[in-house]
Each structure stands twice: as C-alpha cells, then as structure tokens.
Short mmCIF file of all heavy atoms in Angstrom, two decimals:
data_model
loop_
_atom_site.label_atom_id
_atom_site.label_comp_id
_atom_site.label_asym_id
_atom_site.label_seq_id
_atom_site.Cartn_x
_atom_site.Cartn_y
_atom_site.Cartn_z
N PRO A 1248 0.85 -1.17 0.00
CA PRO A 1248 -0.04 -0.01 0.01
C PRO A 1248 0.88 1.23 0.04
O PRO A 1248 2.04 1.20 0.33
CB PRO A 1248 -0.78 -0.13 1.27
CG PRO A 1248 0.21 -0.80 2.21
CD PRO A 1248 0.85 -1.87 1.37
N SER A 1249 0.30 2.37 -0.39
CA SER A 1249 1.10 3.61 -0.26
C SER A 1249 1.37 4.05 1.18
O SER A 1249 2.52 4.75 1.20
CB SER A 1249 0.33 4.78 -1.13
OG SER A 1249 0.22 4.37 -2.48
N ASN A 1250 0.60 3.73 2.06
CA ASN A 1250 0.89 4.01 3.39
C ASN A 1250 0.14 3.08 4.32
O ASN A 1250 -0.59 2.18 3.87
CB ASN A 1250 0.42 5.53 3.61
CG ASN A 1250 -1.02 5.76 3.37
OD1 ASN A 1250 -1.96 5.35 3.95
ND2 ASN A 1250 -1.29 6.50 2.25
N ASN A 1251 0.27 3.35 5.64
CA ASN A 1251 -0.28 2.39 6.59
C ASN A 1251 -1.76 2.51 6.84
O ASN A 1251 -2.38 1.65 7.51
CB ASN A 1251 0.46 2.62 7.95
CG ASN A 1251 0.14 3.99 8.57
OD1 ASN A 1251 0.03 4.93 7.93
ND2 ASN A 1251 0.03 3.93 9.81
N LEU A 1252 -2.34 3.47 6.24
CA LEU A 1252 -3.87 3.71 6.33
C LEU A 1252 -4.64 3.05 5.15
O LEU A 1252 -5.87 3.09 5.21
CB LEU A 1252 -4.13 5.21 6.40
CG LEU A 1252 -3.51 5.95 7.63
CD1 LEU A 1252 -3.93 7.41 7.63
CD2 LEU A 1252 -3.92 5.24 8.93
N GLU A 1253 -3.87 2.64 4.13
CA GLU A 1253 -4.52 2.02 3.05
C GLU A 1253 -4.26 0.45 3.11
O GLU A 1253 -3.45 -0.15 3.76
CB GLU A 1253 -3.84 2.46 1.73
CG GLU A 1253 -4.04 3.86 1.50
CD GLU A 1253 -3.55 4.35 0.13
OE1 GLU A 1253 -2.99 3.55 -0.59
OE2 GLU A 1253 -3.60 5.55 -0.18
N ASP A 1254 -5.11 -0.38 2.47
CA ASP A 1254 -4.93 -1.75 2.21
C ASP A 1254 -4.09 -1.95 0.97
O ASP A 1254 -4.01 -1.16 0.08
CB ASP A 1254 -6.33 -2.41 1.99
CG ASP A 1254 -7.21 -2.43 3.17
OD1 ASP A 1254 -6.57 -2.59 4.26
OD2 ASP A 1254 -8.37 -2.43 3.16
N PRO A 1255 -3.36 -3.11 0.91
CA PRO A 1255 -2.49 -3.40 -0.21
C PRO A 1255 -3.29 -3.36 -1.52
O PRO A 1255 -4.57 -3.69 -1.41
CB PRO A 1255 -2.00 -4.84 0.14
CG PRO A 1255 -2.03 -4.88 1.66
CD PRO A 1255 -3.33 -4.11 1.99
N PRO A 1256 -2.68 -3.07 -2.64
CA PRO A 1256 -3.47 -3.04 -3.81
C PRO A 1256 -3.92 -4.39 -4.37
O PRO A 1256 -3.06 -5.25 -4.67
CB PRO A 1256 -2.52 -2.36 -4.79
CG PRO A 1256 -1.13 -2.60 -4.24
CD PRO A 1256 -1.34 -2.68 -2.74
N VAL A 1257 -5.13 -4.65 -4.42
CA VAL A 1257 -5.72 -5.96 -4.98
C VAL A 1257 -5.85 -5.84 -6.43
O VAL A 1257 -6.35 -4.88 -7.01
CB VAL A 1257 -7.11 -6.16 -4.29
CG1 VAL A 1257 -7.67 -7.48 -4.92
CG2 VAL A 1257 -7.05 -6.27 -2.87
N VAL A 1258 -5.31 -6.81 -7.14
CA VAL A 1258 -5.43 -6.94 -8.67
C VAL A 1258 -6.53 -8.00 -9.01
O VAL A 1258 -6.91 -8.81 -8.12
CB VAL A 1258 -4.12 -7.07 -9.35
CG1 VAL A 1258 -3.11 -6.02 -8.90
CG2 VAL A 1258 -3.53 -8.45 -8.84
N GLU A 1259 -6.71 -8.17 -10.27
CA GLU A 1259 -7.73 -9.14 -10.73
C GLU A 1259 -7.24 -10.52 -10.41
O GLU A 1259 -7.99 -11.31 -9.81
CB GLU A 1259 -7.95 -9.02 -12.20
CG GLU A 1259 -9.04 -9.99 -12.75
CD GLU A 1259 -9.41 -9.67 -14.20
OE1 GLU A 1259 -8.96 -8.68 -14.70
OE2 GLU A 1259 -9.94 -10.62 -14.82
N GLY A 1260 -5.98 -10.79 -10.60
CA GLY A 1260 -5.38 -12.05 -10.20
C GLY A 1260 -6.00 -13.21 -10.78
O GLY A 1260 -6.78 -13.24 -11.72
N ASP A 1261 -5.56 -14.46 -10.27
CA ASP A 1261 -6.12 -15.72 -10.67
C ASP A 1261 -7.11 -16.20 -9.65
O ASP A 1261 -6.84 -16.47 -8.50
CB ASP A 1261 -4.93 -16.75 -10.80
CG ASP A 1261 -5.47 -18.15 -11.28
OD1 ASP A 1261 -6.63 -18.28 -11.50
OD2 ASP A 1261 -4.65 -18.97 -11.35
N GLN A 1262 -8.42 -16.16 -10.06
CA GLN A 1262 -9.45 -16.53 -9.18
C GLN A 1262 -9.74 -17.99 -9.03
O GLN A 1262 -10.60 -18.40 -8.21
CB GLN A 1262 -10.81 -15.80 -9.67
CG GLN A 1262 -10.67 -14.23 -9.67
CD GLN A 1262 -10.34 -13.67 -8.26
OE1 GLN A 1262 -11.00 -13.97 -7.26
NE2 GLN A 1262 -9.36 -12.74 -8.26
N ARG A 1263 -9.10 -18.80 -9.83
CA ARG A 1263 -9.27 -20.17 -9.77
C ARG A 1263 -8.70 -20.93 -8.41
O ARG A 1263 -7.70 -20.52 -8.03
CB ARG A 1263 -8.68 -20.96 -10.84
CG ARG A 1263 -9.21 -20.69 -12.31
CD ARG A 1263 -8.45 -21.21 -13.41
NE ARG A 1263 -7.06 -20.66 -13.38
CZ ARG A 1263 -6.14 -21.07 -14.22
NH1 ARG A 1263 -6.35 -22.06 -15.04
NH2 ARG A 1263 -4.89 -20.49 -14.15
N VAL A 1264 -9.52 -21.67 -7.79
CA VAL A 1264 -9.15 -22.37 -6.61
C VAL A 1264 -9.36 -23.86 -6.66
O VAL A 1264 -9.75 -24.53 -5.69
CB VAL A 1264 -9.77 -21.79 -5.26
CG1 VAL A 1264 -9.28 -20.39 -4.99
CG2 VAL A 1264 -11.29 -21.80 -5.50
N ASP A 1265 -9.16 -24.41 -7.86
CA ASP A 1265 -9.38 -25.85 -8.14
C ASP A 1265 -8.41 -26.69 -7.39
O ASP A 1265 -7.23 -26.36 -7.05
CB ASP A 1265 -9.24 -26.13 -9.68
CG ASP A 1265 -10.22 -25.29 -10.45
OD1 ASP A 1265 -11.32 -24.99 -10.04
OD2 ASP A 1265 -9.80 -24.87 -11.58
N PRO A 1266 -8.80 -27.95 -7.03
CA PRO A 1266 -7.85 -28.86 -6.38
C PRO A 1266 -6.59 -29.02 -7.18
O PRO A 1266 -6.65 -29.12 -8.36
CB PRO A 1266 -8.64 -30.16 -6.24
CG PRO A 1266 -10.05 -29.73 -6.38
CD PRO A 1266 -10.14 -28.48 -7.15
N ASP A 1267 -5.41 -29.14 -6.50
CA ASP A 1267 -4.17 -29.23 -7.21
C ASP A 1267 -3.56 -30.55 -6.85
O ASP A 1267 -2.90 -30.66 -5.77
CB ASP A 1267 -3.25 -28.16 -6.85
CG ASP A 1267 -1.88 -28.17 -7.66
OD1 ASP A 1267 -1.72 -29.18 -8.41
OD2 ASP A 1267 -0.94 -27.39 -7.27
N PRO A 1268 -3.76 -31.70 -7.56
CA PRO A 1268 -3.18 -33.05 -7.27
C PRO A 1268 -1.64 -33.04 -7.09
O PRO A 1268 -1.01 -33.83 -6.49
CB PRO A 1268 -3.64 -33.87 -8.38
CG PRO A 1268 -4.79 -33.12 -9.04
CD PRO A 1268 -4.47 -31.66 -8.83
N GLY A 1269 -1.00 -31.96 -7.79
CA GLY A 1269 0.47 -31.88 -7.72
C GLY A 1269 1.00 -31.68 -6.39
O GLY A 1269 2.09 -32.10 -6.05
N LEU A 1270 0.17 -31.10 -5.44
CA LEU A 1270 0.68 -30.92 -4.11
C LEU A 1270 0.84 -32.28 -3.39
O LEU A 1270 1.55 -32.28 -2.26
CB LEU A 1270 -0.34 -30.03 -3.25
CG LEU A 1270 -0.27 -28.58 -3.63
CD1 LEU A 1270 -1.42 -27.76 -3.05
CD2 LEU A 1270 1.02 -27.90 -3.05
N LEU A 1271 0.19 -33.35 -3.79
CA LEU A 1271 0.37 -34.59 -3.12
C LEU A 1271 1.81 -35.15 -3.26
O LEU A 1271 2.15 -35.99 -2.48
CB LEU A 1271 -0.59 -35.58 -3.68
CG LEU A 1271 -2.16 -35.18 -3.54
CD1 LEU A 1271 -3.02 -36.21 -4.17
CD2 LEU A 1271 -2.46 -35.27 -1.96
N ASP A 1272 2.49 -34.76 -4.29
CA ASP A 1272 3.90 -35.21 -4.58
C ASP A 1272 4.95 -34.36 -4.10
O ASP A 1272 6.13 -34.70 -4.36
CB ASP A 1272 4.03 -35.50 -6.08
CG ASP A 1272 2.94 -36.45 -6.51
OD1 ASP A 1272 2.62 -37.42 -5.86
OD2 ASP A 1272 2.30 -36.26 -7.69
N VAL A 1273 4.71 -33.21 -3.55
CA VAL A 1273 5.77 -32.23 -3.21
C VAL A 1273 6.38 -32.53 -1.84
O VAL A 1273 7.60 -32.48 -1.69
CB VAL A 1273 5.23 -30.86 -3.24
CG1 VAL A 1273 6.29 -29.85 -2.84
CG2 VAL A 1273 4.67 -30.36 -4.59
N VAL A 1274 5.57 -32.86 -0.84
CA VAL A 1274 6.04 -33.07 0.48
C VAL A 1274 6.22 -34.49 0.79
O VAL A 1274 5.06 -35.24 0.92
CB VAL A 1274 5.23 -32.35 1.58
CG1 VAL A 1274 5.67 -32.54 2.96
CG2 VAL A 1274 4.99 -30.86 1.21
N PRO A 1275 7.38 -35.11 1.08
CA PRO A 1275 7.51 -36.44 1.43
C PRO A 1275 6.85 -36.81 2.70
O PRO A 1275 6.82 -35.92 3.66
CB PRO A 1275 8.99 -36.67 1.55
CG PRO A 1275 9.66 -35.54 0.78
CD PRO A 1275 8.75 -34.39 0.99
N VAL A 1276 6.21 -37.95 2.93
CA VAL A 1276 5.63 -38.40 4.08
C VAL A 1276 6.74 -38.61 5.21
O VAL A 1276 6.48 -38.30 6.41
CB VAL A 1276 4.72 -39.66 3.88
CG1 VAL A 1276 4.27 -40.18 5.25
CG2 VAL A 1276 3.63 -39.45 2.92
N ASP A 1277 7.90 -39.10 4.83
CA ASP A 1277 8.94 -39.38 5.75
C ASP A 1277 9.44 -37.93 6.23
O ASP A 1277 10.03 -37.23 5.55
CB ASP A 1277 10.07 -40.05 5.06
CG ASP A 1277 11.27 -40.39 5.95
OD1 ASP A 1277 11.19 -39.90 7.23
OD2 ASP A 1277 12.19 -41.02 5.50
N GLY A 1278 9.36 -37.67 7.60
CA GLY A 1278 9.63 -36.38 8.14
C GLY A 1278 11.06 -36.18 8.10
O GLY A 1278 11.59 -35.02 8.27
N LYS A 1279 11.97 -37.13 7.76
CA LYS A 1279 13.43 -36.85 7.75
C LYS A 1279 13.95 -36.60 6.38
O LYS A 1279 15.10 -36.31 6.19
CB LYS A 1279 14.23 -38.24 8.26
CG LYS A 1279 13.90 -38.45 9.70
CD LYS A 1279 14.67 -39.80 10.23
CE LYS A 1279 14.53 -40.00 11.64
NZ LYS A 1279 15.11 -41.26 12.02
N GLN A 1280 13.01 -36.56 5.35
CA GLN A 1280 13.35 -36.36 4.01
C GLN A 1280 13.13 -34.89 3.72
O GLN A 1280 12.04 -34.33 3.96
CB GLN A 1280 12.55 -37.23 3.05
CG GLN A 1280 13.12 -37.21 1.60
CD GLN A 1280 12.39 -38.23 0.76
OE1 GLN A 1280 11.81 -39.23 1.32
NE2 GLN A 1280 12.48 -38.08 -0.52
N GLY A 1281 14.17 -34.22 3.19
CA GLY A 1281 14.03 -32.68 2.83
C GLY A 1281 13.34 -32.53 1.50
O GLY A 1281 13.05 -33.48 0.69
N TYR A 1282 12.88 -31.30 1.32
CA TYR A 1282 12.37 -30.85 0.07
C TYR A 1282 12.34 -29.37 0.09
O TYR A 1282 12.57 -28.69 1.09
CB TYR A 1282 10.91 -31.27 -0.14
CG TYR A 1282 9.88 -30.80 0.95
CD1 TYR A 1282 9.21 -29.65 0.84
CD2 TYR A 1282 9.87 -31.40 2.24
CE1 TYR A 1282 8.40 -29.10 1.82
CE2 TYR A 1282 9.04 -30.93 3.25
CZ TYR A 1282 8.28 -29.69 3.00
OH TYR A 1282 7.47 -29.16 4.01
N ASP A 1283 12.08 -28.73 -1.07
CA ASP A 1283 12.10 -27.30 -1.18
C ASP A 1283 10.73 -26.70 -1.02
O ASP A 1283 9.85 -26.97 -1.80
CB ASP A 1283 12.57 -26.84 -2.59
CG ASP A 1283 12.90 -25.44 -2.69
OD1 ASP A 1283 12.36 -24.57 -1.85
OD2 ASP A 1283 13.61 -25.00 -3.57
#
C-alpha cells in the first residue's frame, strides 16, 4: 500500500481455486526427508 492507512493493492489475479493434485507429490511423508 502507499501508506499504513491503506490496504495493499488488490489486482484481478487468478480467481481459480481448483484442487491441485500436484501438491500430493511435493512433501515427502517421511519427516526426515528434505524438500524445497
């Protein structure tokens, strides 16, 4: 925002919130295995 009395500027953006199956493969179930 321009200052602390304003809200951050909202743009049209991507309004889709469909399920993303790709998230199932990003985080390993094994807590000792790293990932980005």
Side-chain angles (χ1 to χ4, degrees):
S1249 293
N1250 56 69
N1251 67 324
L1252 300 179
E1253 295 183 4
D1254 288 327
V1257 176
V1258 300
E1259 185 175 342
D1261 182 0
Q1262 299 300 315
R1263 294 173 300 174
V1264 290
D1265 303 324
D1267 181 5
L1270 281 168
L1271 296 173
D1272 303 319
V1273 177
V1274 178
V1276 175
D1277 182 0
K1279 294 181 179 178
Q1280 191 173 339
Y1282 64 94
D1283 191 339

